[in-house]
Each structure stands twice: as C-alpha cells, then as structure tokens.
Amino acid sequence: MRSLRQQEDDETRRMDAIINGLREDLSRNQSAKAQAQREVLETQRDADRRVAIVQEALDTERSSKHRLHDEIRNKEQVSAELQGTVRLLTTRLQSKEDDIRRLEAELSSTSDRVHEAHSVIGKKDAVIGQLNARLRVFESRGTM
C-alpha cells in the first residue's frame, strides 16, 4: 500500500509538474499574445495615421487641382474678354484711321481750292491793277 501511495504521490507530483509546466507555457503564451496584440494595435494606429496623412495629401491635391482648373477657366475667360476688347479697339482704330484719311483728303482738297482761290484773287488783283492804271492814264488824258 505504501508503494501504491508512493506511486500515487509520485504520479501526483509528476502531474503537478506537468500542470505547472502547462501553466507556465499558458502564461508565456498569454504574455506573447498580449504583446502581439499591442504590436498589432500599434501597427494599426500607425497604418491609420499613414492613411490619414495620405488622405490629407490627396485632399490637398484635389483642392489644388480644382483651384488650378478655376484659375485656368478664369484666365481663359479674361483672355477671351481681352481678345474681344482688342478686336473692338482694332475696329475703332481702323475707323479713326479711315476718318483721318478722309479728313486729310478733304483738307488737301480744301487747301487746293484755297490755293486756287488765292491764284484767282491774285489774277483779279492784277487785272484790277491794270484797269486802274489804264483808268489813270485815261483820266490823265482827259484832264489835260
């Protein structure tokens, strides 16, 4: 009986040693699991931060792209308005140049007429001078 009891005690100690070993393994595995979960959580947080950074960069890029499209549209509109203004001013300039050419032609014609009038007046003055001279000659013959 003693030997049975001894065997039973030995068996109990061996089972206790096995259970203690399993408990130690379980404790180590639970610690490793907790550490792995902390690492996974930290990795997830890091990935979330990186996703947020990338998302912010994409939002900034989209905003910049939208702003550039607006600027391009505005520049195209201003360019179209300027082209219209240039065409209008070119038309007005051509009209004014045509008016200047017409006025220059009228001035030239008027100048020619004034010159002709001066020539006619000069000729008439010469004829009047000749007639006055003849009249004096005639008068001087008659009074004598």
Side-chain angles (χ1 to χ4, degrees):
M1 199 66 164
R2 202 173 224 187
S3 91
L4 217 48
R5 187 127 176 96
Q6 185 68 29
Q7 268 184 345
E8 208 178 287
D9 284 343
D10 287 342
E11 193 63 31
T12 303
R13 276 190 225 118
R14 195 173 59 83
M15 288 296 225
D16 284 344
I18 290 173
I19 289 173
N20 286 336
L22 290 172
R23 284 183 184 147
E24 288 173 6
D25 287 347
L26 177 63
S27 178
R28 276 193 304 269
N29 285 336
Q30 285 176 336
S31 293
K33 177 184 172 186
Q35 180 63 32
Q37 286 175 334
R38 285 191 294 271
E39 289 173 3
V40 165
L41 183 61
E42 185 61 33
T43 302
Q44 182 62 40
R45 286 180 187 153
D46 188 45
D48 289 344
R49 281 191 295 268
R50 289 179 183 177
V51 166
I53 289 170
V54 168
Q55 187 62 43
E56 185 178 334
L58 285 173
D59 291 344
T60 301
E61 186 271 334
R62 283 185 197 114
S63 175
S64 296
K65 187 177 179 181
H66 183 69
R67 190 175 61 252
L68 285 174
H69 283 296
D70 287 346
E71 287 177 10
I72 288 170
R73 248 183 273 121
N74 289 339
K75 286 180 182 180
E76 287 173 350
Q77 181 181 357
V78 167
S79 177
E81 289 173 3
L82 286 174
Q83 288 175 358
T85 302
V86 166
R87 283 191 295 272
L88 176 67
L89 291 175
T90 300
T91 301
R92 285 184 183 174
L93 178 62
Q94 288 172 346
S95 174
K96 296 298 180 190
E97 287 174 343
D98 291 344
D99 289 347
I100 289 172
R101 280 191 286 279
R102 182 183 48 77
L103 290 173
E104 285 175 341
E106 287 178 15
L107 178 63
S108 176
S109 173
T110 302
S111 179
D112 289 345
R113 284 191 308 238
V114 167
H115 180 69
E116 288 174 15
H118 280 293
S119 295
V120 168
I121 290 172
K123 288 177 185 177
K124 287 183 179 180
D125 280 345
V127 169
I128 290 172
Q130 289 174 355
L131 289 174
N132 277 337
R134 284 185 190 169
L135 179 63
R136 273 188 236 120
V137 168
F138 181 71
E139 286 176 348
S140 68
R141 279 190 208 158
T143 55
M144 289 194 205

